[in-house]
Amino acid sequence: GNYPIARTLFRRVVRWSPSDAMRHHRSFAHQRLFAAALAAGDESTALHHGWLAFQTGDGSAERRAELIGMLAQLALRVGDSTAALHG
């Protein structure tokens, strides 16, 4: 994929969807920004967007589990196996 273009588009979604009615869109955009940051090797930015995806999610058990899994994968990638196991 074209990550520079994707990052630009998903940042727009984050900026233009401030209301709770757009919560799902904001969370998904942060999730995709997380993936783009990981692809670029920017774990700090990935963590930022991964956490925002979790915070802005709809709160469903399935969505929370998916996002916690992503954050656990990031923890494993940066060498924090304890955090990854407790994700």
Side-chain angles (χ1 to χ4, degrees):
N2 190 333
Y3 289 108
I5 291 173
R7 283 193 302 265
T8 298
L9 294 174
F10 287 121
R11 282 185 193 120
R12 286 181 188 167
V13 171
V14 168
R15 261 195 321 270
W16 295 343
S17 58
S19 73
D20 279 345
M22 303 289 282
R23 190 176 186 103
H24 173 76
H25 299 290
R26 236 183 10 254
S27 180
F28 180 77
H30 281 298
Q31 182 179 1
R32 301 318 307 153
L33 288 165
F34 169 89
L38 274 186
D42 185 353
E43 287 86 5
S44 177
T45 298
L47 177 60
H48 172 77
H49 286 293
W51 184 247
L52 288 173
F54 183 82
Q55 284 186 316
T56 60
D58 63 13
S60 71
E62 295 85 8
R63 181 75 177 143
R64 291 172 62 92
E66 176 185 8
L67 295 169
I68 288 171
M70 288 176 11
L71 292 167
Q73 287 178 341
L74 173 60
L76 189 59
R77 179 174 170 160
V78 299
D80 191 342
S81 58
T82 302
L85 288 171
H86 292 98

